[in-house]
Amino acid sequence: QVYGLGKPGSPAAIAAWNIDVAPDGTGLPPGSGSVAAGQAVYAAQCAACHGAKGEGKPADALVGGLGTLATGKPVKTIGSFWPYATTVFDFIRRAMPYQAPQSLSADEVYAATAYLLHLNGIVPADAVLDATSLPQVRMPNRDGFVADARPDTASRPCLQCR
Amino acid sequence: QVYGLGKPGSPAAIAAWNIDVAPDGTGLPPGSGSVAAGQAVYAAQCAACHGAKGEGKPADALVGGLGTLATGKPVKTIGSFWPYATTVFDFIRRAMPYQAPQSLSADEVYAATAYLLHLNGIVPADAVLDATSLPQVRMPNRDGFVADARPDTASRPCLQCR
Amino acid sequence: ASAALGAAALPAARATGAEPALEVPAWTRTPGEPVLWHAYGQPDAHEAHVVRRTRGTAVLPGAASSLTPLQNLHGIITPTGLVFERHHAGIPQIDPAQHRLVVHGLVQRPLILSMDDLVRFPAVSRIHFLECSGNTGVEWRGAASTSIQQSHGLLSCCEWTGVRLSTILQEVGVDPAAAWVLAEGADGAAMSRSIPIAKAWEDALLVYAQNGEMLRPEHGYPLRLFLPGWEGNASIKWLRRLKLGAAPFMTREETSKYTDSLPDGKARQFTFTMEAKSVITYPAVDHRLRGRGYYEISGLAWTGQGRVKRVDVSTDGGASWREARLEGPVLDRALTRFRADWQWDGGPAVLQSRVTDETGYVQPTGRQLIAQRGLNSLYHYNAIQSWKVATDGSIANAQV
Amino acid sequence: ASAALGAAALPAARATGAEPALEVPAWTRTPGEPVLWHAYGQPDAHEAHVVRRTRGTAVLPGAASSLTPLQNLHGIITPTGLVFERHHAGIPQIDPAQHRLVVHGLVQRPLILSMDDLVRFPAVSRIHFLECSGNTGVEWRGAASTSIQQSHGLLSCCEWTGVRLSTILQEVGVDPAAAWVLAEGADGAAMSRSIPIAKAWEDALLVYAQNGEMLRPEHGYPLRLFLPGWEGNASIKWLRRLKLGAAPFMTREETSKYTDSLPDGKARQFTFTMEAKSVITYPAVDHRLRGRGYYEISGLAWTGQGRVKRVDVSTDGGASWREARLEGPVLDRALTRFRADWQWDGGPAVLQSRVTDETGYVQPTGRQLIAQRGLNSLYHYNAIQSWKVATDGSIANAQV
Ligand code: HEC
Ligand code: HEC
Ligand SMILES: [Ca+2]
Ligand SMILES: [Ca+2]
Ligand SMILES: [Ca+2]
Ligand SMILES: [Ca+2]
Ligand SMILES: [Ca+2]
Ligand SMILES: [Ca+2]
Ligand SMILES: [Co+2]
Ligand SMILES: [Co+2]
């Protein structure tokens, strides 16, 4: 049954809210940003919460942790843990900087993403990211995720007690 | 099953709370009060809310209404409606005067009760009420109450509609 | 007659004229309020109209009632802050550490119980409605209310937790001569009612919690009696004493007050049961329809006799009826939410609901009630309610 | 082994030394507060300790959580003012008249719905628990919490009212290629999760009311997604957008954040279901027993897989078990209150509860969880909880 409520959601009408970016790059906007430009964005907008070099404090560390995931103290950052570079762009665009979400231009988000990927040793110092290059970045932990395997505990109530 | 919780409720321990009065007079305290004494109590403690002669405003009328119960505008007061004089004592003792409940002495409650019954033409001007005489007062509407006769509507859903 | 309510799927034409382009609102562009903004949460400021209200003003506002805004509520649980009030001498502010329950009279072991004692006994939780016997009484003499809050708002439904009264009766040991229980409050009215002992054994509860938390002051903190399916005034709040006796105590509340006058001048006494009743809460007199098309009729049904069995709705003033959907779980003496589809064609309509409970009792019309009880009963008016929809979408209270 | 819990009826000796003579307290000698003292009611001042609390202090208190005081609650309904919070960018204050829900992507008729539109669709009401996947996560590495509010307080249960997501999917017409739904909030985090479309069709709700009234700001006012039985973060609050796609959108919340690390360095992703869990809420670490004698053990059990089937309790640290009473109604993916009798002999005791759900799943021990998942999972810790009673009546959190 169709109730006939609501109004048509034309692409133009919803454009400002349609901000998600998929791993294949769908949703990435025009524009681009370099590591160098990102360094400036990061210093101005991000360093206060994530540390001068992304080391964290007060908010999450964004750099480091490679090789720690299988240890007793995994350090999970963009570099060590995130499977898709597109997610970095998506998250910064929707949620950062924390005190002014959705305030950065597309160029600034590309740039901040490039800088953070560079700090993590994933893209070179001269990298420039855009809608074509960003989805092609292969993240170290790309294959680090597995499906839910639960139930994984097989308890049976004590038969004596029943 | 008994859980063994709480403390014994000896008559002495609960006396101050054991204030109910039954139609047979059980629970009436020692003491007494005359219509004349009641007039003074009433004027000082009650008239402000129930009217100089019990005619009501702002609070309930306490006098009058005899013969109105079977009319379109029943006036229900102590005189016309209440089945037991003991209830008058009980209610005044537990709840009146409104701004200072349980503040009257037993003598004052007997007296106020006597005065209100007198205003309603139920006891004479020289009446004195106490634990013996009060339960013997027969109220005009003593037999005015019947049992719950519900369900008294016999609706059946429209058979056509089922 | 078979009704056509909603049977024809005639959707309203979807609004044409596209929505203006969405902008990112201010509340997305900045972080919001911190966690524990309110350590104990409050409704949003836009819901400030959803509050209890009185009917007129009382000279002595301690001896008065306030009503639940049914027009704004959903589901069956009433949020405790909106549960109606009825006091006879205001809301006492009781220190729970000093509060006591005395159980005495025709018992073997009279007891004084503290709140610490009471919460130690085995507990039960039950979802039940609570309704004042005066609810909808203003409608006896004709359509009077311009809000469902005013006509039906002495009604709420909560999860109640406490001790079975039967557990306490076993603790004190009941004398075989005991037939009635006097329940008395610690408020300024020392509000008191006599309860048949069968009810005390069957399902009466001594309640200390409501919707998960301790009772609120206006609902009897720290302890109240709760009598499932019975008129609210008998569920004595601020409960301080239970006395077992051989006969009813004939308090003012069960002689002068909560009795139902008949045309012959007699009055029915001890009319405890709340008979089956239902009302459409949307669309109701408080609402206005915005144009023809689909509406879901939604309402509440309940019965003091057990479970709701079915609800029928009519949109033509009772000429035809159609069975509504009952939202589960349908619980014993709890509100039951019903729903029915309706395509409003833009013409005049009269919306009604009629409940049948599991005893086979069918909600009566006002005419049937008046034929049996006349116009002086004050209490227990449980008639079918009519809401009259005009072509401009406005809705009036009506008796048809 | 058959347990002797409560089997021997050994009542505590009733306190001797009569209660001092009762006096008529001040609150009975004067009228109380007027009706509408609070038009929207508040808890009694003596219950001011019953509030939500945080775990430590957050540097940015908009990206934090607060916890429900389970140690003070009764029954299964959580009063909305005490329902736990979890925000990623604080609580937005949304104008409901301006709020919109966009539904688009792989659909035939992309739509923009206002709140006025949404409340017009047929509604349903359901009582369901809501639990954060991080609930009890602090206990992975040993007994850490000194309050059940801290260990288990990311848990609540309410009556939710709203529109079935399936109703809206029919309204927009779903492209057969659609397999996932992105849900996005209007908060400063534009919080977003991908949901398999099967869940959207099966039982997902677009909720606007909670425990009878409109949602509170901190719970998503005016609209949230609600996914029965699934981890709370996926039930996106302040819902502004649903986009249908062929693959998961791989947001930060389902990659960086709400994934469960294993010892080999891999992480489980899309671990939505909240497996069966139970906990004794009284007596718990927050309480102290006042002397030997009867106590009713009371707790909560729940499962994201359906209904609770049975709960067993132990007072000897799991050496022997005994079936608890389940308070009805036992509802699908709702909290279920269980109760069991216990005579405390004054000796040391270790209290535990263990739930079995209708799929046959049995709540595991912490050891079983760690054997499967190691110590880095953070989320989904649903182990049996132990409370260790000392001879002085004090109670400690313990892992045995
Ligand atoms: C005022 C403090 C603040 C500033 C400034 C800030 N952030 Fe953040 N950031 C946070 C907080 C708090 C979180 C965690 C939010 C949550 O709980 O969801 C976060 C999370 C993140 C994450 C996700 C980390 C993870 O491991 O999941 C990324 C990436 C990020 N920020 C990048 C940035 C960038 C890029 C900027 C600047 C453009 C920035 N942040 C500016 C506070 C800040
Ligand atoms: C400050 C106002 C006030 C004063 C003073 C007061 N009353 Fe009342 N009275 C009330 C109110 C209000 C009620 C109704 C209470 C309720 O709703 O239960 C009432 C009810 C009554 C009733 C029951 C009426 C009925 O029809 O059910 C009686 C009898 C009564 N009062 C007697 C007295 C007496 C005797 C005194 C003085 C000793 C007194 N009152 C002083 C306000 C007052
Ligand atoms: Ca991290
Ligand atoms: Ca009267
Ligand atoms: Ca509304
Ligand atoms: Ca129950
Ligand atoms: Ca307590
Ligand atoms: Ca339901
Ligand atoms: Co009645
Ligand atoms: Co998970």
Side-chain angles (χ1 to χ4, degrees), chain A residues 155-162, chain D residues 1-2 310 312 318-319 321 354 362:
Chain A
S155 249
R156 292 284 160 259
C158 165
L159 289 177
Q160 293 164 271
C161 303
R162 308 307 286 271
Chain D
S2 126
R310 66 178 278 161
D312 297 280
W321 295 91
R354 183 184 61 193
V362 179

Side-chain angles (χ1 to χ4, degrees), chain D residues 5 10 45 71 138 170 219 329:
Chain D
L5 304 183
L10 266 175
Q71 68 276 16
V138 287
Q170 285 172 321
H219 304 132

Side-chain angles (χ1 to χ4, degrees), chain C residues 125-126, chain D residues 327-329:
Chain C
S125 300
R126 308 263 183 258
Chain D
E327 179 77 67

Side-chain angles (χ1 to χ4, degrees), chain C residues 32-364:
Chain C
E33 300 296 332
V35 78
L36 293 190
W37 182 30
H38 301 289
Y40 191 97
Q42 302 299 322
D44 188 85
H46 293 92
E47 304 298 316
H49 57 290
V50 184
V51 289
R52 298 184 286 218
R53 291 184 177 84
T54 54
R55 217 184 265 137
T57 44
V59 187
L60 290 160
S65 60
S66 76
L67 305 105
T68 295
L70 300 178
Q71 68 277 15
N72 302 118
L73 299 188
H74 306 267
I76 61 166
I77 298 290
T78 312
T80 311
L82 297 174
V83 170
F84 74 93
E85 306 170 82
R86 175 68 171 106
H87 321 304
H88 288 262
I91 307 165
Q93 295 187 58
I94 297 181
D95 178 353
Q98 288 185 53
H99 187 71
R100 294 292 181 274
L101 175 67
V102 173
V103 190
H104 71 131
L106 295 176
V107 305
Q108 283 143 30
R109 295 174 292 277
L111 283 183
I112 300 175
L113 297 158
S114 68
M115 290 307 300
D116 278 349
D117 295 326
L118 282 160
V119 302
R120 282 278 296 275
F121 287 96
V124 293
S125 300
R126 308 263 183 258
I127 295 175
H128 287 307
F129 76 82
L130 182 71
E131 187 185 17
C132 181
S133 55
N135 196 26
T136 327
V138 286
E139 304 290 307
W140 268 110
R141 288 167 185 265
S145 305
T146 54
S147 167
I148 188 178
Q149 183 166 13
Q150 299 293 324
S151 61
H152 288 76
L154 296 169
L155 172 70
S156 295
C157 182
C158 298
E159 184 190 39
W160 310 93
T161 297
V163 184
R164 284 191 189 88
L165 178 46
S166 62
T167 301
I168 303 299
L169 293 184
Q170 285 172 319
E171 191 77 5
V172 294
V174 175
D175 186 313
W180 291 79
V181 182
L182 179 76
E184 179 181 84
D187 58 325
M191 174 77 182
S192 51
R193 287 291 322 247
S194 307
I195 312 299
I197 201 158
K199 183 72 173 176
W201 282 115
E202 189 190 346
D203 60 7
L205 302 175
L206 304 182
V207 158
Y208 44 79
Q210 182 175 357
N211 287 342
E213 63 190 344
M214 287 295 284
L215 292 171
R216 300 280 178 81
E218 64 269 38
H219 303 132
Y221 183 84
L223 186 71
R224 76 177 298 167
L225 185 62
F226 192 89
L227 303 175
W230 282 20
E231 57 187 25
N233 71 76
S235 288
I236 296 292
K237 300 190 284 188
W238 312 293
L239 186 71
R240 74 168 192 183
R241 192 162 68 102
L242 295 169
K243 184 185 209 168
L244 282 72
F249 293 77
M250 298 297 178
T251 71
R252 175 255 191 176
E253 314 306 333
E254 55 218 16
T255 55
S256 165
K257 191 74 190 163
Y258 293 107
T259 51
D260 314 344
S261 288
L262 299 171
D264 66 0
K266 303 278 186 196
R268 289 185 184 160
Q269 200 179 22
F270 302 118
T271 54
F272 290 120
T273 301
M274 299 308 294
E275 292 187 296
K277 189 165 166 182
S278 72
V279 66
I280 292 171
T281 59
Y282 182 86
V285 58
D286 301 81
H287 309 114
R288 188 181 181 114
L289 303 183
R290 345 170 254 145
R292 60 175 60 191
Y294 178 84
Y295 291 88
E296 188 180 61
I297 293 172
S298 173
L300 296 168
W302 64 100
T303 169
Q305 304 274 27
R307 286 180 176 74
V308 165
K309 195 172 123 208
R310 66 178 278 160
V311 175
D312 297 281
V313 296
S314 173
T315 57
D316 54 15
S320 65
W321 295 90
R322 168 157 181 269
E323 190 165 355
R325 296 185 291 278
L326 300 187
E327 179 77 68
V330 175
L331 298 172
D332 181 27
R333 289 163 299 180
L335 294 186
T336 297
R337 176 67 62 177
F338 65 85
R339 310 185 198 270
D341 300 318
W342 182 42
Q343 288 288 344
W344 184 43
D345 63 8
V350 175
L351 309 183
Q352 298 182 327
S353 65
R354 183 184 60 192
V355 61
T356 304
D357 74 18
E358 61 180 347
T359 71
Y361 176 91
V362 178
Q363 184 180 9

Side-chain angles (χ1 to χ4, degrees), chain B residues 76, chain C residues 140 259-262 268 373-380:
Chain B
K76 301 193 278 188
Chain C
W140 268 110
T259 51
D260 314 344
S261 288
L262 299 171
R268 289 185 184 160
R373 306 181 203 163
L375 289 167
N376 297 331
S377 264
L378 299 177
Y379 302 111
H380 296 292

